[in-house]
Amino acid sequence: MSLAVLLAAWQAQAIADLGRQPGSSMPVACVIRYDDAAADLSLVIEKRVTPTGIVTALAVTGAGVTDARLQTASVDSAQVLQPVATRATEQFRAEALLEDRDAGALLIRDLAVAGGQLTVSRNGTDSRHELPHPLPRDVTGGYLNCAGDLVQP
């Protein structure tokens, strides 16, 4: 396997309104999305309400993507998230219930303040992508506003 380190022009955005909980104005999911058109990659970090709790998820989409790993100063996705089968081709997805662990909050904090490194496997070749930091206030503010509503009783 060869390894490349790419410092790309990632664009980040917070997506807060992915639907509402039934009979409520509370959101169902809060997302930070990174896109790099030049590398044909999209990274989504998501907190989603499920019947069993709040799930933290990572999804990487792009041509030939078969595996991905996100590392921040405090969290390694390979250690805290489990791969999940997906119907989408060219996508890797991993998730876990992290409500009772610090890893979910630390992941978001680290990304917002210090960025992280995304390692993507495509057709047997790994590439490393440095994520931008700090994230713009409109991204972190939008995400935190949504996340505060997400955990309301």
Side-chain angles (χ1 to χ4, degrees):
M1 273 192 275
S2 66
L3 187 64
V5 177
L6 305 174
L7 297 173
W10 288 90
Q11 293 184 339
Q13 63 182 339
I15 304 170
D17 188 7
L18 296 179
R20 300 288 172 187
Q21 297 175 24
S24 171
S25 63
M26 299 302 161
V28 173
C30 303
V31 170
I32 295 177
R33 179 184 176 108
Y34 295 85
D35 289 299
D36 181 352
D40 184 28
L41 279 177
S42 174
L43 164 65
V44 171
I45 308 296
E46 173 187 34
K47 296 265 188 173
R48 180 179 73 255
V49 175
T50 70
T52 57
I54 298 175
V55 169
T56 301
L58 155 81
V60 178
T61 306
V65 170
T66 57
D67 194 12
R69 178 180 190 177
L70 177 60
Q71 294 172 286
T72 69
S74 307
V75 179
D76 181 345
S77 68
Q79 302 298 316
V80 297
L81 302 177
Q82 293 79 43
V84 177
T86 176
R87 287 185 226 151
T89 58
E90 302 183 331
Q91 182 184 65
F92 173 81
R93 185 173 179 83
E95 61 184 43
L97 285 169
L98 298 179
E99 286 180 288
D100 298 332
R101 299 176 61 191
D102 291 338
L106 288 173
L107 176 65
I108 300 301
R109 183 203 67 190
D110 287 355
L111 287 172
V113 175
Q117 185 177 81
L118 178 66
T119 303
V120 177
S121 296
R122 292 181 178 200
N123 305 317
T125 302
D126 289 354
S127 60
R128 290 188 184 154
H129 306 268
E130 297 294 331
L131 298 177
H133 62 280
L135 287 177
R137 284 186 191 258
D138 62 330
V139 174
T140 56
Y143 176 84
L144 292 172
N145 186 47
C146 177
D149 289 343
L150 192 69
V151 296
Q152 293 280 331

